[in-house]
Amino acid sequence: MSTARSTANIALIKYWGNRNNELRLPAADSLSMTLDTPHVQVLGEEADQFSIESFEADGSRKILTKQQIERLRKHRELTMQYLHTLDIDFRKNVALTIRSQIPSGIGLASSAAVFSAIAEVFAGLIAEEHPLTREQISVIARLGSGSAARSVFGGFVALRNRATSNEQTSNGEIAGAFAEQIAPESHWVLHDIVIVPSLKEKKIGSTEGHALAGTSPLFQDRLKEIPRRMQECTDAILTKDFEKLQRVAEEDALDMHEVMRTSTPSLQYLSEETWHIIREVEALRTRDHLEVLYTMDAGPTVHLFCTEDAREVVRSFANEQKGCTVFETKIGRGSELV
Ligand code: DP6
């Protein structure tokens, strides 16, 4: 038996578009901050059959859709394939119990937390005979959800669009992207104040969205910009230069949303409320010289990253936004066995 917990992460340099959709091999590098709450806990036990039970934050049973069950099955199958490349025979059937503390409707996708916790559980089940490295666990997480690879580490984390040097030759494509830590959570305590405008329309999920990225005429230009942005973002983190971080993170988030908007079909995740909040944050920042930056994923939710000094003012600002749900979290330590 093995139990793990994990959390979501929010990207500063976004992952959007794959070079291989089935294996979730990204088209470029990305970089995120792992959050410390809310968490997902996954318990895995050897069983006669592969099975999954899932529970919501309030303890009620969650009925999984066929698509969700298929995704979990596929993840296990890909994990077996990957472990096979490491000469590990992982034919165990596992009963998984997923308990999510992530309230629905706060605009935090749970897939990164879920798949990083499952990767941790699979690794835990074979740890005695075959201990895996953190990078290898991140590859397993990635096979379920690309961004989940980054939740395997705490602090600031890059998802590298290449195999680790010692795996390149033996593992081929399946190991072709892994996560690595840029700086631990103790390096720079940043907060994420999350503003969730009322979610009206139904969104196209990231998995379908990644597959459309290549239809945008802006996508190739975006890919060319990523190496520079990764470097600037890494430098900003290592030197704790908030202004530099703000410039590059906002440039990248807005660029990703332009790629989404100009893809076929057009994906418009940002709502009028999102733009309103962005404008207000910009005005507030100019007025009060606050260390705060905004970033948005595949939805209208605005993440306001800020320093300890700016937190109080940013929190009040967030609570003033009418009709919005506000949730507060900060940098965290990533997935682990419990
Ligand atoms: C916009 O990791 O959610 O949040 O592999 O289909 O689960 P799947 O995609 P996912 O994509 C994340 C997209 C993003 C940007 C990011 O987190 O980097």
Side-chain angles (χ1 to χ4, degrees):
M1 195 175 91
S2 170
T3 307
R5 65 160 57 184
S6 191
T7 50
N9 63 79
I10 302 299
L12 290 154
I13 305 296
K14 307 290 186 185
Y15 153 47
W16 195 247
N18 286 323
R19 62 189 155 92
N20 180 319
N21 287 318
E22 194 200 358
L23 298 178
R24 294 176 200 274
L25 289 163
D29 287 5
S30 57
L31 200 162
S32 61
M33 181 174 98
T34 299
L35 305 179
D36 80 332
T37 52
H39 74 265
V40 165
Q41 182 160 312
V42 176
L43 179 146
E45 286 173 296
E46 283 190 45
D48 297 336
Q49 270 188 341
F50 180 68
S51 69
I52 309 133
E53 274 197 301
S54 185
F55 297 91
E56 304 271 16
D58 63 5
S60 63
R61 187 180 292 269
K62 185 176 170 191
I63 310 293
L64 296 175
T65 62
K66 264 200 188 137
Q67 223 180 356
Q68 287 169 324
I69 295 170
E70 183 44 36
R71 183 170 176 178
L72 287 150
R73 261 185 211 293
K74 179 80 186 168
H75 178 240
R76 179 176 163 275
E77 193 186 300
L78 290 173
T79 300
M80 278 167 61
Q81 274 180 39
Y82 170 59
L83 291 177
H84 187 71
T85 68
L86 301 173
D87 288 328
I88 301 171
D89 192 15
F90 182 68
R91 257 179 288 174
K92 291 174 179 160
N93 268 317
V94 182
L96 292 173
T97 308
I98 303 169
R99 288 178 203 280
S100 173
Q101 294 300 322
I102 304 182
S104 52
I106 64 157
L108 270 187
S110 60
S111 58
V114 167
F115 283 102
S116 51
I118 293 177
E120 203 73 65
V121 162
F122 286 165
L125 290 171
I126 58 169
E128 268 180 32
E129 313 93 61
H130 305 286
L132 299 181
T133 64
R134 301 306 298 163
E135 281 84 5
Q136 287 167 333
I137 298 173
S138 80
V139 170
I140 298 178
R142 193 206 79 223
L143 294 170
S145 172
S147 61
R150 300 186 308 234
S151 281
V152 168
F153 293 90
F156 298 94
V157 186
L159 174 56
R160 301 287 182 206
N161 182 27
R162 58 177 161 83
T164 53
S165 44
N166 55 345
E167 288 186 329
Q168 207 144 20
T169 43
S170 57
N171 286 354
E173 274 288 272
I174 200 162
F178 68 100
E180 73 181 354
Q181 190 178 59
I182 302 281
E185 58 280 18
S186 56
H187 170 70
W188 197 13
V189 178
L190 292 185
H191 297 264
D192 178 13
I193 303 194
V194 189
I195 309 182
V196 191
S198 49
L199 300 163
K200 284 178 204 130
E201 69 251 52
K202 205 172 142 30
K203 320 169 284 179
I204 294 192
S206 310
T207 304
E208 291 155 275
H210 285 298
L212 299 176
T215 66
S216 162
L218 306 178
F219 186 57
Q220 291 307 321
D221 285 345
R222 169 169 176 75
L223 294 184
K224 285 188 206 129
E225 293 291 334
I226 298 279
R228 172 189 58 84
R229 291 184 193 152
M230 283 294 292
Q231 192 56 53
E232 283 182 20
C233 191
T234 304
D235 292 347
I237 289 165
L238 295 179
T239 58
K240 301 189 200 170
D241 183 339
F242 195 91
E243 207 185 307
K244 188 171 184 168
L245 186 67
Q246 176 227 310
R247 263 186 277 118
V248 70
E250 292 177 0
E251 174 191 326
D252 188 72
L254 295 176
D255 179 51
M256 176 185 73
H257 283 280
E258 272 304 285
V259 167
M260 291 162 156
R261 193 182 62 79
T262 53
S263 69
T264 309
S266 171
L267 301 174
Q268 309 216 28
Y269 289 112
L270 308 183
S271 66
E272 262 177 47
E273 288 98 325
T274 312
W275 287 109
H276 173 79
I277 295 166
I278 290 176
R279 282 192 295 270
E280 296 267 298
V281 170
E282 285 173 342
L284 176 77
R285 186 162 66 198
T286 314
R287 203 189 64 206
D288 291 6
H289 305 289
L290 279 186
E291 292 189 319
V292 57
L293 67 84
Y294 56 79
T295 188
M296 295 76 59
D297 285 338
T301 295
V302 182
H303 293 265
L304 294 180
F305 278 35
C306 62
T307 55
E308 188 74 47
D309 287 349
R311 179 158 64 128
E312 223 28 75
V313 181
V314 176
R315 182 194 286 151
S316 312
F317 165 81
N319 285 323
E320 280 162 17
Q321 304 306 308
K322 289 199 186 70
C324 295
T325 306
V326 175
F327 181 82
E328 200 174 323
T329 179
K330 66 175 193 308
I331 194 162
R333 61 177 191 266
S335 64
E336 61 191 5
L337 287 175
V338 289

